[in-house]
Structure formats: structure tokens, C-alpha cells
Amino acid sequence: MKSKLVEVKTVDNQKVYSLLYSSSKKERIVVLVHGACMNYMTGISQFIPQLSTSFYNYDFLSINTRAHDIGYIVNNYKEKQGWAWQTLEKNKYDLSAVFAYLHEVGYSEIILCGHSWGGLICLDYIKNCIDEINGLILVSPTISYRFLLEVNYRDNIGDIVDRARKLIKEKRPNDIIPTDPKAPLPFMSAKTIVDFYDSPFEAQQFLKNVNCKTDIIIGSLEHKKLIEAALNIEKLNCYVKTHIISGANHFYYNHELDV
């Protein structure tokens, strides 16, 4: 099994890097999209590609979307990038560029895998191109973009959204709003907050009608709403299978083989 760095360019001229683990057969490939503030070498990206390629001989592509890490500056501080400045449109640009590359090099079967927030953007991406994939794996997927904000900021969410809307009205969409220093997402741009909060897309509603084989993996220590949603979807759609991993948390430490 070989690994190499793959570079693709999006329609808005951004470079997206991925790690390709390949057997050189170019048949079936699993594409992994990391969660919020993660990258293609952290979180579940550390172990899922290696396990999949070692045990099942799948090719595997772990994407480093432009939303990797909390935030960073490029081009001599002219551009602000990373999770803090992410938008739904940019997510789709990244995945579109990667899929175009996979089709170009000849992969015949693509399985899309997303962890946490990455699971949600996988669903949001394929809602208009479900025929592009042959299977779907969701690992602790977030229910909605709004839920992601609400579960992190709880009682402060109303004030945070109000501040974001005010900055956008003042034509300062890229300004940062400190949210909660104790939260996993300690700051976000005004545009990202409003973009996520106003998004109507919900995983539960979409998955009720998805018609490709879908596996949802979720730890028993996850948020109760996520577990309830996963089990409910399985009852409503025969294509969906939910797997609860006892004792596992959001990152599946010490449960890698179970995943």
C-alpha cells in the first residue's frame, strides 16, 4: 500500500490537498471528510484510512478541506482561511474538485465517509448529486449546521448570532467574534456564523429518503439527540444501518478496531 499527497484546484482557484492511500488498482475508494477544526492527519483521520487499507484493501483519500484547523492566515496576511471563515459554498467547491479528480484518474466506485461536521457537509454536498456515490459512511454526524452552533454555545447562541448579523450589516463579514473560550470552537467569523445558523439543511430529513447503502456509526457516549436521530433514521429507511459502539466518545479513542 502506497501513500502520496494529491493536490487539486477548486473553481475559485484554491488548492486542496489530500492523502491518497492506494493499492494502484483504482477500483473502489473511500473518501474521508474530517470534522470541524480537524485536518487529514488528526481525529479519526489518524486511523480510519490505515485500518481500511490494511484490512480491506480499499483505496482511501483523506481530504484536507480548506476548513482545516480553527483558522490560519495566508498570502502575507491577505487571506483568512480555516474553520473560522468557512462557508457552505466553499465546502462544496472542495468536494467537487476532489470528485472531479477521482473520476479523471479512473475510480469506478466511490464511498463517501464523513466524521462529525464532515458528515454533514458530505450530506449537504450529495443532495444534488447522490448518483455520484456508491455508498455512504457517517461517523458521529452532526444533525444540522444550526445544531452544531447551539450545542457548542448553548445559552449564548442568540447573542452570538445577533452580533454576527450586526457585523454583516456593517459590511464586516470576515470579522471574528469571540464565542466561548471553553468551547471547541472559540471564535468564528460573522459570515460563517450566519451562514451556518440560517442553513435549512438537516441530516435527518435528507436521510429519510436517501437510496444508497448508508452506515451510521455513533458512540454510546455521544449527545443523546445524535443517537436518537441515528436510530430513528434506521427505522424509516431500509438503506440505513446504525451501529452503536458501546463506551465510545466522539473521537473513538480505544475503539478504533470497533469502527
Side-chain angles (χ1 to χ4, degrees), residues 91-111:
N91 296 335
K92 293 168 187 173
Y93 289 163
D94 293 353
L95 267 65
S96 291
V98 169
F99 268 69
Y101 165 79
L102 294 176
H103 291 310
E104 182 181 329
V105 297
Y107 281 100
S108 58
E109 186 173 341
I110 299 174
I111 299 167

Side-chain angles (χ1 to χ4, degrees), residues 146-161:
R146 178 174 289 197
F147 177 79
L148 179 65
L149 297 180
E150 290 174 342
V151 79
N152 275 279
Y153 306 135
R154 297 181 177 87
D155 297 336
N156 296 326
I157 185 63
D159 179 55
I160 290 169
V161 173

Side-chain angles (χ1 to χ4, degrees), residues 88 92 120 124 127 143-146 194-206:
L88 308 186
K92 293 168 187 173
L120 186 64
D124 198 2
K127 67 185 179 188
I143 295 173
S144 69
Y145 293 102
R146 178 174 289 197
V194 173
D195 198 44
F196 282 16
Y197 194 77
D198 287 347
S199 171
F201 185 78
E202 291 189 354
Q204 294 180 83
Q205 197 62 36
F206 178 74

Side-chain angles (χ1 to χ4, degrees), residues 6-184:
V6 172
E7 175 190 318
V8 298
K9 190 168 283 190
T10 65
V11 293
D12 60 337
N13 209 35
Q14 292 291 317
K15 292 180 181 178
V16 174
Y17 296 94
S18 302
L19 277 177
L20 175 64
Y21 302 80
S22 176
S23 62
S24 300
K25 292 182 179 179
K26 289 187 180 178
E27 295 172 359
R28 177 185 297 179
I29 189 165
V30 180
V31 178
L32 172 65
V33 181
H34 60 74
C37 305
M38 294 286 138
N39 58 52
Y40 59 175
M41 293 292 287
T42 58
I44 64 165
S45 302
Q46 296 177 84
F47 69 85
I48 286 187
Q50 290 86 336
L51 292 182
S52 297
T53 52
S54 298
F55 293 159
Y56 301 108
N57 205 31
Y58 293 178
D59 281 5
F60 211 103
L61 189 76
S62 188
I63 307 174
N64 207 35
T65 72
R66 75 181 82 185
H68 65 79
D69 305 312
I70 183 66
Y72 56 101
I73 308 297
V74 295
N75 293 342
N76 280 332
Y77 294 87
K78 292 178 181 177
E79 294 181 37
K80 301 172 182 179
Q81 295 186 14
W83 162 264
W85 292 277
Q86 190 58 209
T87 64
L88 308 186
E89 187 176 41
K90 291 176 183 177
N91 296 335
K92 293 168 187 173
Y93 289 163
D94 293 353
L95 267 65
S96 291
V98 169
F99 268 69
Y101 165 79
L102 294 176
H103 291 310
E104 182 181 329
V105 297
Y107 281 100
S108 58
E109 186 173 341
I110 299 174
I111 299 167
L112 191 56
C113 175
H115 172 239
S116 187
W117 167 79
L120 186 64
I121 68 167
C122 286
L123 293 174
D124 198 2
Y125 173 74
I126 64 171
K127 67 185 179 188
N128 295 317
C129 55
I130 187 70
D131 293 339
E132 282 193 53
I133 66 168
N134 301 88
L136 186 61
I137 303 167
L138 304 171
V139 187
S140 290
T142 303
I143 295 173
S144 69
Y145 293 102
R146 178 174 289 197
F147 177 79
L148 179 65
L149 297 180
E150 290 174 342
V151 79
N152 275 279
Y153 306 135
R154 297 181 177 87
D155 297 336
N156 296 326
I157 185 63
D159 179 55
I160 290 169
V161 173
D162 286 345
R163 280 186 283 159
R165 293 197 194 284
K166 184 179 178 182
L167 285 171
I168 289 175
K169 201 170 184 179
E170 295 172 356
K171 298 183 178 180
R172 296 163 57 190
N174 292 320
D175 279 17
I176 282 293
I177 295 177
T179 51
D180 182 348
K182 297 179 182 178

